[in-house]
Amino acid sequence: MRGFCGLVLLSLVLIWGCGSKPPETTAGKPPAVQAPLDPWVLTCLDPKAEEPALLWNGLIGLRIGRDGLGVGKEPSFFMIDEYEKTGEEKIRGMPNPVRLVVTEGAHALNSPEGMSHYSQRLDMRTGILVTEWDASTQPGDVHVKVETAIHPDERIVAVRYTAVPSRDADLRFSFSDNGLKAEKMQAFGFYHGLGPSAVRWSVRQSAPGALPTGDDTKKVELFVREATWSFGSASGRDEAPKPISFGAVADASAKKWAERWRTDIEIDGPVADQQAVRSFMFYLRSAIYPKGEMSISPFGLSNQMYNGHVFWDADIWVFPALALIDPPAAQAISNYRLSKAAAAQANFSKWLRASRPTAHGAMGGVDETRPLAGQKFPWESSVSGRETAPGPSRFEDHITGSVAFALEQAVSLKLISPMNPDEPARLPGYFYGLRYEEGRNGREIRDVMSPDENHTGDNDLYTNLLAEWCSAGGKWPAKPTYKLPHDDKTFLTYDNDQLRGYKQAAAVLSIYPLQYPPAEAQAKAMMDRLSDKVIKNGPAMTDSVHSIIWSRLGEKDKAYETWQKSWVPFTTSPFLLFSEKRLRPTTYFTTGAGGSLQSVLFGFLGFRIDWKQEPGAAWTTQLRRDAWLSIKPNLPKTWKSVKFKNFTVLGRPYTLTVTPAAARVTPGE
């Protein structure tokens, strides 16, 4: 199941000594709940804040509690290849392996009770989380510092725990097994099985036995890591590989982030905006392992929401956000879809054998004279690529076209190479060719769930446009062949649209990301009718796509205000952790972060990928397959300037500098 050897490590350094003093801290009143804004550092000053921090690297995801250690709430640890292989192919949540219990007498140093001068800081420049506090104990106070880092390319989490009492203290350290029973005790600790594959994880102490005494400064290192050795070695004792140090993991993290931050968006504007944009890049870039076999789910490796499955979120919301910033991460999304192409064809064949079912029944037999090849991508995809959605959402047939649309963008940016000149739209086009029915006003796709998700009916605009695009070989035909619902004013979301309300953006997706020319020509009318009819507790992406459209319409103030709505109410947790809905605290919603980052790239900075050059663009360059990348900025008034450093196009770096007066693109570093 694994193509590489994975490791998880916990390195803890504990320091105490007679007469030593803790570092000086501010005396008096407790710190304010809000820390001063920093463009690089995310800070939590409340030891009772409920939503734990998050570190991940696309291979593993780990929740970190307010004490800087793994949270005990289950499940809080995930691995990218720990999925069920049958049924719904759900991701497996696992007990957190990095729980340390530290006590002084009867007092637990990990408890938020008795903490003062507390702070937890995540430095996005290095990816290192630092937690500090003063613990009130008897006989003396203890200053605690916990440093947590995750290796950028391996399954390694390192924690360094430093405790400095102000006077003699009886400090005790032990590991919590989080309910897992140790399989075998050793002189250096214990090990236990973890996950459905029963991977062994070890807990090791470098100096077994009693803790050293007598010196002012003492150190003890403890390790939790995936066990890669067998028992009963030739030497007659159980041997484990030499542990890696915390410093080595921290250095690897800092080095990787220094490379990543060569590509950055520097904003001369409100610090909150700069901090938010960097947080979107920080979490998204570390959520995907470029060489992995999975794409990214809406919540990545942060929890079990949506079972860790892959939706159109990855293709339409996350991929465009990363394609210019971190091409290898974006490429992983496309490669996952390519690797599941055979499964998509099997899904298509299964759909045919089932008489082409729709949301309200079956369509009947197939005309044998028509081509029977095709692809039908699943609404919820997992390890096998088959459809795993048990409910009616599996009839959101726009998923197949959404995947094809994103793959075509990947081809134009030279992130993937298609097998045939007319791919990736050709095989999805065959699916739509058997999905439609002839109607008085053209081809009709009936009994389909709209991306609105609150409506199932006929001729959803976004779905029919994707069918049109795929059937025309990945281009917009001069005259549509599919029915596109509209009235005497503009396009509608679907047939019999009452214009009363929607769960999330649907019809306006024809304006962006599809950039259907007639819809763009009617963008103002569509936005005036539809943008205020989305329910307040809908997903975060709606406001981000609205912001892009307002930017392109030149409504800069409205675009900025809407962009703020796309992330501020969704990032109230510590460290700007993104939630899906305003009233649902579950984080980290990669889809929302991707949408808000797209607002900056394709709205404010004016990037556009299209089949023609944008009129009035400050800069254009030709892509593959006759596509063009244009830049026509729409900078909000509150931003004095923006520098987008070292974005990548066709393997070459460029830097964009935008001011209210001009935009200039120069070769990158």
Side-chain angles (χ1 to χ4, degrees), residues 440-473:
R440 289 184 302 173
N441 298 304
R443 299 172 175 177
E444 298 191 30
I445 297 181
R446 299 169 185 164
D447 300 333
V448 67
M449 182 178 284
S450 168
D452 164 38
E453 294 187 355
N454 280 346
H455 177 84
T456 297
D458 299 340
N459 296 310
D460 172 71
L461 177 64
Y462 178 68
T463 305
N464 281 18
L465 279 173
L466 285 168
E468 187 77 69
W469 183 85
C470 289
S471 300

PDB file of all heavy atoms in Angstrom, residues 440-473:
ATOM      1  N   ARG A 440     -37.742  20.821 -27.651  1.00  0.00           N
ATOM      2  CA  ARG A 440     -38.150  21.833 -28.626  1.00  0.00           C
ATOM      3  C   ARG A 440     -37.123  22.944 -28.755  1.00  0.00           C
ATOM      4  O   ARG A 440     -37.017  23.585 -29.798  1.00  0.00           O
ATOM      5  CB  ARG A 440     -39.500  22.428 -28.226  1.00  0.00           C
ATOM      6  CG  ARG A 440     -40.674  21.468 -28.393  1.00  0.00           C
ATOM      7  CD  ARG A 440     -41.979  22.160 -28.069  1.00  0.00           C
ATOM      8  NE  ARG A 440     -41.991  22.692 -26.708  1.00  0.00           N
ATOM      9  CZ  ARG A 440     -42.957  23.466 -26.215  1.00  0.00           C
ATOM     10  NH1 ARG A 440     -43.985  23.805 -26.970  1.00  0.00           N
ATOM     11  NH2 ARG A 440     -42.900  23.892 -24.960  1.00  0.00           N
ATOM     12  N   ASN A 441     -36.362  23.194 -27.666  1.00  0.00           N
ATOM     13  CA  ASN A 441     -35.394  24.294 -27.663  1.00  0.00           C
ATOM     14  C   ASN A 441     -33.957  23.786 -27.629  1.00  0.00           C
ATOM     15  O   ASN A 441     -33.069  24.463 -27.134  1.00  0.00           O
ATOM     16  CB  ASN A 441     -35.660  25.217 -26.472  1.00  0.00           C
ATOM     17  CG  ASN A 441     -37.023  25.862 -26.538  1.00  0.00           C
ATOM     18  OD1 ASN A 441     -37.344  26.524 -27.522  1.00  0.00           O
ATOM     19  ND2 ASN A 441     -37.835  25.665 -25.505  1.00  0.00           N
ATOM     20  N   GLY A 442     -33.742  22.589 -28.164  1.00  0.00           N
ATOM     21  CA  GLY A 442     -32.405  22.037 -28.200  1.00  0.00           C
ATOM     22  C   GLY A 442     -32.268  20.835 -27.291  1.00  0.00           C
ATOM     23  O   GLY A 442     -33.244  20.287 -26.764  1.00  0.00           O
ATOM     24  N   ARG A 443     -31.043  20.407 -27.107  1.00  0.00           N
ATOM     25  CA  ARG A 443     -30.767  19.255 -26.253  1.00  0.00           C
ATOM     26  C   ARG A 443     -31.062  19.612 -24.796  1.00  0.00           C
ATOM     27  O   ARG A 443     -30.675  20.680 -24.319  1.00  0.00           O
ATOM     28  CB  ARG A 443     -29.304  18.842 -26.398  1.00  0.00           C
ATOM     29  CG  ARG A 443     -28.922  18.421 -27.809  1.00  0.00           C
ATOM     30  CD  ARG A 443     -27.421  18.218 -27.923  1.00  0.00           C
ATOM     31  NE  ARG A 443     -27.039  17.705 -29.242  1.00  0.00           N
ATOM     32  CZ  ARG A 443     -25.800  17.489 -29.629  1.00  0.00           C
ATOM     33  NH1 ARG A 443     -24.789  17.751 -28.786  1.00  0.00           N
ATOM     34  NH2 ARG A 443     -25.540  17.018 -30.840  1.00  0.00           N
ATOM     35  N   GLU A 444     -31.708  18.700 -24.098  1.00  0.00           N
ATOM     36  CA  GLU A 444     -32.091  18.962 -22.715  1.00  0.00           C
ATOM     37  C   GLU A 444     -31.525  17.881 -21.798  1.00  0.00           C
ATOM     38  O   GLU A 444     -31.565  16.694 -22.127  1.00  0.00           O
ATOM     39  CB  GLU A 444     -33.610  19.004 -22.571  1.00  0.00           C
ATOM     40  CG  GLU A 444     -34.272  20.114 -23.382  1.00  0.00           C
ATOM     41  CD  GLU A 444     -35.736  20.284 -23.015  1.00  0.00           C
ATOM     42  OE1 GLU A 444     -36.077  20.009 -21.841  1.00  0.00           O
ATOM     43  OE2 GLU A 444     -36.529  20.683 -23.891  1.00  0.00           O
ATOM     44  N   ILE A 445     -30.981  18.307 -20.673  1.00  0.00           N
ATOM     45  CA  ILE A 445     -30.535  17.378 -19.629  1.00  0.00           C
ATOM     46  C   ILE A 445     -31.537  17.490 -18.485  1.00  0.00           C
ATOM     47  O   ILE A 445     -31.572  18.499 -17.769  1.00  0.00           O
ATOM     48  CB  ILE A 445     -29.112  17.696 -19.155  1.00  0.00           C
ATOM     49  CG1 ILE A 445     -28.124  17.510 -20.312  1.00  0.00           C
ATOM     50  CG2 ILE A 445     -28.721  16.803 -17.985  1.00  0.00           C
ATOM     51  CD1 ILE A 445     -26.683  17.769 -19.953  1.00  0.00           C
ATOM     52  N   ARG A 446     -32.341  16.467 -18.331  1.00  0.00           N
ATOM     53  CA  ARG A 446     -33.442  16.498 -17.373  1.00  0.00           C
ATOM     54  C   ARG A 446     -33.099  15.701 -16.117  1.00  0.00           C
ATOM     55  O   ARG A 446     -32.221  14.851 -16.118  1.00  0.00           O
ATOM     56  CB  ARG A 446     -34.714  15.949 -18.023  1.00  0.00           C
ATOM     57  CG  ARG A 446     -35.161  16.761 -19.241  1.00  0.00           C
ATOM     58  CD  ARG A 446     -36.245  16.050 -20.027  1.00  0.00           C
ATOM     59  NE  ARG A 446     -36.557  16.801 -21.264  1.00  0.00           N
ATOM     60  CZ  ARG A 446     -37.216  16.298 -22.290  1.00  0.00           C
ATOM     61  NH1 ARG A 446     -37.655  15.035 -22.243  1.00  0.00           N
ATOM     62  NH2 ARG A 446     -37.457  17.027 -23.366  1.00  0.00           N
ATOM     63  N   ASP A 447     -33.847  16.006 -15.063  1.00  0.00           N
ATOM     64  CA  ASP A 447     -33.699  15.274 -13.791  1.00  0.00           C
ATOM     65  C   ASP A 447     -32.252  15.272 -13.317  1.00  0.00           C
ATOM     66  O   ASP A 447     -31.634  14.235 -13.092  1.00  0.00           O
ATOM     67  CB  ASP A 447     -34.187  13.833 -13.951  1.00  0.00           C
ATOM     68  CG  ASP A 447     -35.652  13.764 -14.348  1.00  0.00           C
ATOM     69  OD1 ASP A 447     -36.392  14.699 -14.013  1.00  0.00           O
ATOM     70  OD2 ASP A 447     -36.033  12.779 -15.013  1.00  0.00           O
ATOM     71  N   VAL A 448     -31.697  16.452 -13.144  1.00  0.00           N
ATOM     72  CA  VAL A 448     -30.300  16.593 -12.742  1.00  0.00           C
ATOM     73  C   VAL A 448     -30.226  17.528 -11.542  1.00  0.00           C
ATOM     74  O   VAL A 448     -31.038  18.462 -11.414  1.00  0.00           O
ATOM     75  CB  VAL A 448     -29.447  17.138 -13.909  1.00  0.00           C
ATOM     76  CG1 VAL A 448     -29.841  18.572 -14.245  1.00  0.00           C
ATOM     77  CG2 VAL A 448     -27.964  17.053 -13.603  1.00  0.00           C
ATOM     78  N   MET A 449     -29.287  17.273 -10.655  1.00  0.00           N
ATOM     79  CA  MET A 449     -29.101  18.151  -9.505  1.00  0.00           C
ATOM     80  C   MET A 449     -28.177  19.296  -9.885  1.00  0.00           C
ATOM     81  O   MET A 449     -27.090  19.088 -10.417  1.00  0.00           O
ATOM     82  CB  MET A 449     -28.526  17.397  -8.306  1.00  0.00           C
ATOM     83  CG  MET A 449     -28.363  18.268  -7.064  1.00  0.00           C
ATOM     84  SD  MET A 449     -27.740  17.397  -5.602  1.00  0.00           S
ATOM     85  CE  MET A 449     -29.233  16.519  -5.115  1.00  0.00           C
ATOM     86  N   SER A 450     -28.612  20.515  -9.602  1.00  0.00           N
ATOM     87  CA  SER A 450     -27.829  21.711  -9.881  1.00  0.00           C
ATOM     88  C   SER A 450     -26.707  21.856  -8.858  1.00  0.00           C
ATOM     89  O   SER A 450     -26.812  21.352  -7.732  1.00  0.00           O
ATOM     90  CB  SER A 450     -28.745  22.934  -9.809  1.00  0.00           C
ATOM     91  OG  SER A 450     -28.010  24.139  -9.789  1.00  0.00           O
ATOM     92  N   PRO A 451     -25.616  22.566  -9.187  1.00  0.00           N
ATOM     93  CA  PRO A 451     -24.618  22.882  -8.156  1.00  0.00           C
ATOM     94  C   PRO A 451     -25.206  23.720  -7.022  1.00  0.00           C
ATOM     95  O   PRO A 451     -24.603  23.826  -5.961  1.00  0.00           O
ATOM     96  CB  PRO A 451     -23.537  23.647  -8.929  1.00  0.00           C
ATOM     97  CG  PRO A 451     -24.165  24.054 -10.203  1.00  0.00           C
ATOM     98  CD  PRO A 451     -25.206  23.041 -10.515  1.00  0.00           C
ATOM     99  N   ASP A 452     -26.390  24.292  -7.248  1.00  0.00           N
ATOM    100  CA  ASP A 452     -27.139  24.935  -6.164  1.00  0.00           C
ATOM    101  C   ASP A 452     -27.389  23.941  -5.030  1.00  0.00           C
ATOM    102  O   ASP A 452     -27.432  24.306  -3.862  1.00  0.00           O
ATOM    103  CB  ASP A 452     -28.466  25.460  -6.735  1.00  0.00           C
ATOM    104  CG  ASP A 452     -29.473  25.803  -5.662  1.00  0.00           C
ATOM    105  OD1 ASP A 452     -29.084  26.328  -4.622  1.00  0.00           O
ATOM    106  OD2 ASP A 452     -30.665  25.521  -5.864  1.00  0.00           O
ATOM    107  N   GLU A 453     -27.572  22.656  -5.367  1.00  0.00           N
ATOM    108  CA  GLU A 453     -27.757  21.530  -4.454  1.00  0.00           C
ATOM    109  C   GLU A 453     -29.091  21.532  -3.721  1.00  0.00           C
ATOM    110  O   GLU A 453     -29.443  20.553  -3.071  1.00  0.00           O
ATOM    111  CB  GLU A 453     -26.597  21.403  -3.448  1.00  0.00           C
ATOM    112  CG  GLU A 453     -25.279  21.043  -4.117  1.00  0.00           C
ATOM    113  CD  GLU A 453     -24.179  20.747  -3.122  1.00  0.00           C
ATOM    114  OE1 GLU A 453     -24.407  20.905  -1.913  1.00  0.00           O
ATOM    115  OE2 GLU A 453     -23.077  20.362  -3.563  1.00  0.00           O
ATOM    116  N   ASN A 454     -29.847  22.621  -3.785  1.00  0.00           N
ATOM    117  CA  ASN A 454     -31.194  22.632  -3.224  1.00  0.00           C
ATOM    118  C   ASN A 454     -32.243  22.371  -4.294  1.00  0.00           C
ATOM    119  O   ASN A 454     -33.435  22.443  -4.015  1.00  0.00           O
ATOM    120  CB  ASN A 454     -31.490  23.975  -2.544  1.00  0.00           C
ATOM    121  CG  ASN A 454     -30.873  24.063  -1.160  1.00  0.00           C
ATOM    122  OD1 ASN A 454     -30.451  23.066  -0.592  1.00  0.00           O
ATOM    123  ND2 ASN A 454     -30.826  25.264  -0.608  1.00  0.00           N
ATOM    124  N   HIS A 455     -31.792  22.100  -5.516  1.00  0.00           N
ATOM    125  CA  HIS A 455     -32.740  21.941  -6.610  1.00  0.00           C
ATOM    126  C   HIS A 455     -32.345  20.772  -7.501  1.00  0.00           C
ATOM    127  O   HIS A 455     -31.181  20.630  -7.896  1.00  0.00           O
ATOM    128  CB  HIS A 455     -32.780  23.213  -7.466  1.00  0.00           C
ATOM    129  CG  HIS A 455     -33.693  23.105  -8.654  1.00  0.00           C
ATOM    130  ND1 HIS A 455     -35.046  23.349  -8.570  1.00  0.00           N
ATOM    131  CD2 HIS A 455     -33.457  22.776  -9.944  1.00  0.00           C
ATOM    132  CE1 HIS A 455     -35.601  23.176  -9.763  1.00  0.00           C
ATOM    133  NE2 HIS A 455     -34.655  22.821 -10.617  1.00  0.00           N
ATOM    134  N   THR A 456     -33.321  19.928  -7.807  1.00  0.00           N
ATOM    135  CA  THR A 456     -33.173  18.877  -8.808  1.00  0.00           C
ATOM    136  C   THR A 456     -34.281  19.062  -9.833  1.00  0.00           C
ATOM    137  O   THR A 456     -35.458  19.126  -9.468  1.00  0.00           O
ATOM    138  CB  THR A 456     -33.261  17.480  -8.179  1.00  0.00           C
ATOM    139  OG1 THR A 456     -32.182  17.317  -7.254  1.00  0.00           O
ATOM    140  CG2 THR A 456     -33.169  16.402  -9.242  1.00  0.00           C
ATOM    141  N   GLY A 457     -33.899  19.204 -11.073  1.00  0.00           N
ATOM    142  CA  GLY A 457     -34.883  19.456 -12.118  1.00  0.00           C
ATOM    143  C   GLY A 457     -34.248  19.375 -13.488  1.00  0.00           C
ATOM    144  O   GLY A 457     -33.310  18.610 -13.708  1.00  0.00           O
ATOM    145  N   ASP A 458     -34.726  20.219 -14.394  1.00  0.00           N
ATOM    146  CA  ASP A 458     -34.300  20.142 -15.789  1.00  0.00           C
ATOM    147  C   ASP A 458     -33.424  21.326 -16.175  1.00  0.00           C
ATOM    148  O   ASP A 458     -33.653  22.460 -15.746  1.00  0.00           O
ATOM    149  CB  ASP A 458     -35.518  20.110 -16.716  1.00  0.00           C
ATOM    150  CG  ASP A 458     -36.413  18.908 -16.467  1.00  0.00           C
ATOM    151  OD1 ASP A 458     -35.920  17.926 -15.870  1.00  0.00           O
ATOM    152  OD2 ASP A 458     -37.593  18.956 -16.860  1.00  0.00           O
ATOM    153  N   ASN A 459     -32.430  21.032 -16.999  1.00  0.00           N
ATOM    154  CA  ASN A 459     -31.641  22.033 -17.709  1.00  0.00           C
ATOM    155  C   ASN A 459     -30.977  23.054 -16.789  1.00  0.00           C
ATOM    156  O   ASN A 459     -31.206  24.261 -16.878  1.00  0.00           O
ATOM    157  CB  ASN A 459     -32.521  22.737 -18.756  1.00  0.00           C
ATOM    158  CG  ASN A 459     -32.998  21.773 -19.819  1.00  0.00           C
ATOM    159  OD1 ASN A 459     -32.203  21.024 -20.387  1.00  0.00           O
ATOM    160  ND2 ASN A 459     -34.304  21.755 -20.060  1.00  0.00           N
ATOM    161  N   ASP A 460     -30.151  22.541 -15.912  1.00  0.00           N
ATOM    162  CA  ASP A 460     -29.306  23.420 -15.106  1.00  0.00           C
ATOM    163  C   ASP A 460     -28.320  24.130 -16.028  1.00  0.00           C
ATOM    164  O   ASP A 460     -27.668  23.502 -16.873  1.00  0.00           O
ATOM    165  CB  ASP A 460     -28.551  22.599 -14.065  1.00  0.00           C
ATOM    166  CG  ASP A 460     -27.526  23.416 -13.324  1.00  0.00           C
ATOM    167  OD1 ASP A 460     -27.920  24.266 -12.525  1.00  0.00           O
ATOM    168  OD2 ASP A 460     -26.321  23.209 -13.590  1.00  0.00           O
ATOM    169  N   LEU A 461     -28.200  25.428 -15.899  1.00  0.00           N
ATOM    170  CA  LEU A 461     -27.384  26.226 -16.815  1.00  0.00           C
ATOM    171  C   LEU A 461     -25.925  25.777 -16.800  1.00  0.00           C
ATOM    172  O   LEU A 461     -25.322  25.556 -17.866  1.00  0.00           O
ATOM    173  CB  LEU A 461     -27.484  27.712 -16.452  1.00  0.00           C
ATOM    174  CG  LEU A 461     -26.625  28.663 -17.299  1.00  0.00           C
ATOM    175  CD1 LEU A 461     -27.070  28.664 -18.752  1.00  0.00           C
ATOM    176  CD2 LEU A 461     -26.667  30.088 -16.715  1.00  0.00           C
ATOM    177  N   TYR A 462     -25.327  25.663 -15.624  1.00  0.00           N
ATOM    178  CA  TYR A 462     -23.916  25.293 -15.520  1.00  0.00           C
ATOM    179  C   TYR A 462     -23.673  23.904 -16.107  1.00  0.00           C
ATOM    180  O   TYR A 462     -22.715  23.688 -16.869  1.00  0.00           O
ATOM    181  CB  TYR A 462     -23.494  25.345 -14.050  1.00  0.00           C
ATOM    182  CG  TYR A 462     -22.055  24.939 -13.788  1.00  0.00           C
ATOM    183  CD1 TYR A 462     -20.997  25.726 -14.226  1.00  0.00           C
ATOM    184  CD2 TYR A 462     -21.766  23.769 -13.082  1.00  0.00           C
ATOM    185  CE1 TYR A 462     -19.674  25.352 -13.969  1.00  0.00           C
ATOM    186  CE2 TYR A 462     -20.457  23.400 -12.812  1.00  0.00           C
ATOM    187  CZ  TYR A 462     -19.416  24.191 -13.261  1.00  0.00           C
ATOM    188  OH  TYR A 462     -18.115  23.817 -13.009  1.00  0.00           O
ATOM    189  N   THR A 463     -24.546  22.960 -15.791  1.00  0.00           N
ATOM    190  CA  THR A 463     -24.390  21.597 -16.309  1.00  0.00           C
ATOM    191  C   THR A 463     -24.506  21.566 -17.827  1.00  0.00           C
ATOM    192  O   THR A 463     -23.688  20.940 -18.522  1.00  0.00           O
ATOM    193  CB  THR A 463     -25.441  20.669 -15.682  1.00  0.00           C
ATOM    194  OG1 THR A 463     -25.345  20.735 -14.255  1.00  0.00           O
ATOM    195  CG2 THR A 463     -25.238  19.234 -16.139  1.00  0.00           C
ATOM    196  N   ASN A 464     -25.521  22.245 -18.373  1.00  0.00           N
ATOM    197  CA  ASN A 464     -25.714  22.236 -19.823  1.00  0.00           C
ATOM    198  C   ASN A 464     -24.577  22.930 -20.558  1.00  0.00           C
ATOM    199  O   ASN A 464     -24.199  22.525 -21.655  1.00  0.00           O
ATOM    200  CB  ASN A 464     -27.051  22.892 -20.174  1.00  0.00           C
ATOM    201  CG  ASN A 464     -28.226  21.956 -19.947  1.00  0.00           C
ATOM    202  OD1 ASN A 464     -28.111  20.966 -19.237  1.00  0.00           O
ATOM    203  ND2 ASN A 464     -29.369  22.265 -20.542  1.00  0.00           N
ATOM    204  N   LEU A 465     -24.012  23.966 -19.946  1.00  0.00           N
ATOM    205  CA  LEU A 465     -22.871  24.638 -20.579  1.00  0.00           C
ATOM    206  C   LEU A 465     -21.653  23.723 -20.617  1.00  0.00           C
ATOM    207  O   LEU A 465     -20.918  23.698 -21.615  1.00  0.00           O
ATOM    208  CB  LEU A 465     -22.550  25.937 -19.847  1.00  0.00           C
ATOM    209  CG  LEU A 465     -23.413  27.141 -20.215  1.00  0.00           C
ATOM    210  CD1 LEU A 465     -23.118  28.317 -19.301  1.00  0.00           C
ATOM    211  CD2 LEU A 465     -23.204  27.544 -21.680  1.00  0.00           C
ATOM    212  N   LEU A 466     -21.413  22.981 -19.550  1.00  0.00           N
ATOM    213  CA  LEU A 466     -20.295  22.043 -19.568  1.00  0.00           C
ATOM    214  C   LEU A 466     -20.529  20.941 -20.596  1.00  0.00           C
ATOM    215  O   LEU A 466     -19.585  20.512 -21.275  1.00  0.00           O
ATOM    216  CB  LEU A 466     -20.094  21.441 -18.181  1.00  0.00           C
ATOM    217  CG  LEU A 466     -19.432  22.371 -17.157  1.00  0.00           C
ATOM    218  CD1 LEU A 466     -19.545  21.794 -15.761  1.00  0.00           C
ATOM    219  CD2 LEU A 466     -17.974  22.624 -17.514  1.00  0.00           C
ATOM    220  N   ALA A 467     -21.772  20.498 -20.727  1.00  0.00           N
ATOM    221  CA  ALA A 467     -22.093  19.514 -21.757  1.00  0.00           C
ATOM    222  C   ALA A 467     -21.828  20.101 -23.137  1.00  0.00           C
ATOM    223  O   ALA A 467     -21.287  19.420 -24.029  1.00  0.00           O
ATOM    224  CB  ALA A 467     -23.552  19.082 -21.630  1.00  0.00           C
ATOM    225  N   GLU A 468     -22.179  21.359 -23.335  1.00  0.00           N
ATOM    226  CA  GLU A 468     -21.930  22.039 -24.609  1.00  0.00           C
ATOM    227  C   GLU A 468     -20.439  22.119 -24.894  1.00  0.00           C
ATOM    228  O   GLU A 468     -19.971  21.816 -26.006  1.00  0.00           O
ATOM    229  CB  GLU A 468     -22.531  23.451 -24.551  1.00  0.00           C
ATOM    230  CG  GLU A 468     -22.506  24.215 -25.850  1.00  0.00           C
ATOM    231  CD  GLU A 468     -23.594  23.747 -26.804  1.00  0.00           C
ATOM    232  OE1 GLU A 468     -24.769  23.985 -26.532  1.00  0.00           O
ATOM    233  OE2 GLU A 468     -23.229  23.131 -27.821  1.00  0.00           O
ATOM    234  N   TRP A 469     -19.691  22.521 -23.892  1.00  0.00           N
ATOM    235  CA  TRP A 469     -18.245  22.691 -24.040  1.00  0.00           C
ATOM    236  C   TRP A 469     -17.567  21.355 -24.350  1.00  0.00           C
ATOM    237  O   TRP A 469     -16.723  21.269 -25.247  1.00  0.00           O
ATOM    238  CB  TRP A 469     -17.695  23.306 -22.757  1.00  0.00           C
ATOM    239  CG  TRP A 469     -16.238  23.607 -22.771  1.00  0.00           C
ATOM    240  CD1 TRP A 469     -15.619  24.720 -23.242  1.00  0.00           C
ATOM    241  CD2 TRP A 469     -15.191  22.762 -22.255  1.00  0.00           C
ATOM    242  NE1 TRP A 469     -14.260  24.631 -23.061  1.00  0.00           N
ATOM    243  CE2 TRP A 469     -13.971  23.443 -22.454  1.00  0.00           C
ATOM    244  CE3 TRP A 469     -15.177  21.515 -21.648  1.00  0.00           C
ATOM    245  CZ2 TRP A 469     -12.754  22.900 -22.066  1.00  0.00           C
ATOM    246  CZ3 TRP A 469     -13.962  20.975 -21.256  1.00  0.00           C
ATOM    247  CH2 TRP A 469     -12.769  21.664 -21.466  1.00  0.00           C
ATOM    248  N   CYS A 470     -17.931  20.306 -23.618  1.00  0.00           N
ATOM    249  CA  CYS A 470     -17.330  18.987 -23.858  1.00  0.00           C
ATOM    250  C   CYS A 470     -17.723  18.440 -25.227  1.00  0.00           C
ATOM    251  O   CYS A 470     -16.889  17.886 -25.954  1.00  0.00           O
ATOM    252  CB  CYS A 470     -17.760  18.008 -22.770  1.00  0.00           C
ATOM    253  SG  CYS A 470     -17.030  18.317 -21.142  1.00  0.00           S
ATOM    254  N   SER A 471     -19.000  18.583 -25.586  1.00  0.00           N
ATOM    255  CA  SER A 471     -19.478  18.046 -26.860  1.00  0.00           C
ATOM    256  C   SER A 471     -18.840  18.753 -28.045  1.00  0.00           C
ATOM    257  O   SER A 471     -18.729  18.172 -29.134  1.00  0.00           O
ATOM    258  CB  SER A 471     -21.003  18.169 -26.930  1.00  0.00           C
ATOM    259  OG  SER A 471     -21.618  17.436 -25.871  1.00  0.00           O
ATOM    260  N   ALA A 472     -18.395  20.007 -27.856  1.00  0.00           N
ATOM    261  CA  ALA A 472     -17.740  20.771 -28.923  1.00  0.00           C
ATOM    262  C   ALA A 472     -16.228  20.624 -28.877  1.00  0.00           C
ATOM    263  O   ALA A 472     -15.507  21.398 -29.522  1.00  0.00           O
ATOM    264  CB  ALA A 472     -18.137  22.240 -28.832  1.00  0.00           C
ATOM    265  N   GLY A 473     -15.732  19.635 -28.114  1.00  0.00           N
ATOM    266  CA  GLY A 473     -14.295  19.381 -28.082  1.00  0.00           C
ATOM    267  C   GLY A 473     -13.505  20.361 -27.256  1.00  0.00           C
ATOM    268  O   GLY A 473     -12.321  20.605 -27.517  1.00  0.00           O
TER     269      GLY A 473
END
